[in-house]
Amino acid sequence: MQIIFFIIGVLLYLFGGVVFSGAKSSVHETVSLLIFLNGTLFVIGAGIIDAISKSNKREKSS
């Protein structure tokens, strides 16, 4: 699941860059920044899932 979240986050970063580079107005720039924000949320979500799974593995091993 974390890999899927990370891949989606990276793809959203790239898509936000494409939208930003083709922005014709400030509305398009705002949309691209919101896409970047969504990508950031997915990458952070992947990190949280990774931290939880590592914590669970440590608890099971001890």
Side-chain angles (χ1 to χ4, degrees), residues 8-29:
I8 290 173
V10 170
L11 289 175
L12 284 172
Y13 281 142
L14 294 174
F15 184 62
V18 168
V19 172
F20 191 78
S21 67
K24 296 179 181 174
S25 68
S26 62
V27 174
H28 295 106
E29 291 176 1

Side-chain angles (χ1 to χ4, degrees), residues 7 9 11 14 23 31 33-34 46-47 61-62:
I7 290 171
L11 289 175
L14 294 174
V31 169
L33 293 176
L34 288 172
S61 66
S62 36

